[in-house]
Amino acid sequence: MYSKVILSFIIVGFGAVWTGPQTSGAAAIGDVTLLGILEEWKYPGSNFGGASMSDGGNPRLVSVKAQAILTTGDSVEKVVKFYSEKLGTLPASGPRDAKADAKVVDAKSVSTQDDSQGRPVKLQVIVVNRAETSTTLVISRADGEKETHIAWSHYMRFDGKR
């Protein structure tokens, strides 16, 4: 049985605050902020090029979607290696701690796609699907560009168990 929930967001800077009733369980909806979600996915030393967060777009689900653009002088290969190690799709280049391993265990599926061959752009797509979230990273750098772009998109749903 689906119970209707009215979702009201107040945008505060780069975050969102839940103003409706909260249920017990895992992280409360009020704890969710744009920069808080992005922190897990931010490439070290990258420059922040703007972001947005809004309702998830499905009136039947309490959800949010967020997106941001990050840039770095590092190569596409270095950026992809960072995310691959973080997500456990490549062996780590050093010792891993329990917190990092817990994040890898949490990932339900990780898929990657390289659409660079024969093109004047290096383009890598990484998609991470978890039980209540979906994250897409589009990592690109055209020939002659001085920065690698990381386009981050994140969808998070909240169910009655939260």
Side-chain angles (χ1 to χ4, degrees):
M1 178 176 151
Y2 176 78
S3 62
K4 293 185 179 182
V5 177
I6 297 174
L7 181 64
S8 299
F9 282 101
I10 299 173
I11 303 301
V12 180
F14 289 111
V17 179
W18 171 251
T19 60
Q22 295 185 16
T23 60
S24 61
I29 296 172
D31 295 338
V32 175
T33 64
L34 176 60
L35 294 180
I37 300 168
L38 179 59
E39 187 60 35
E40 176 185 358
W41 299 99
K42 190 169 186 283
Y43 183 76
S46 62
N47 298 311
F48 184 67
S52 65
M53 183 173 183
S54 65
D55 173 77
N58 184 338
R60 297 188 57 139
L61 295 173
V62 179
S63 58
V64 295
K65 58 184 174 184
Q67 58 187 30
I69 301 293
L70 305 170
T71 58
T72 180
D74 291 347
S75 69
V76 168
E77 293 80 10
K78 186 172 181 180
V79 173
V80 169
K81 182 178 179 187
F82 166 80
Y83 286 112
S84 296
E85 287 179 352
K86 176 181 180 67
L87 296 167
T89 58
L90 280 180
S93 59
R96 296 186 70 112
D97 62 21
K99 188 175 181 181
D101 287 341
K103 288 182 182 178
V104 170
V105 171
D106 187 41
K108 297 297 183 190
S109 69
V110 178
S111 61
T112 61
Q113 185 175 13
D114 183 344
D115 190 25
S116 305
Q117 190 171 1
R119 301 179 68 200
V121 64
K122 292 182 180 177
L123 181 68
Q124 296 273 339
V125 179
I126 301 171
V127 179
V128 180
N129 291 306
R130 295 179 177 151
E132 296 182 0
T133 64
S134 179
T135 303
T136 303
L137 299 162
V138 178
I139 304 161
S140 64
R141 187 175 193 157
D143 288 350
E145 284 188 327
K146 295 181 181 180
E147 293 184 315
T148 297
H149 289 244
I150 305 163
W152 169 79
S153 299
H154 186 80
Y155 174 84
M156 177 183 287
R157 75 176 176 90
F158 302 92
D159 61 23
K161 297 176 187 173
R162 285 192 174 254

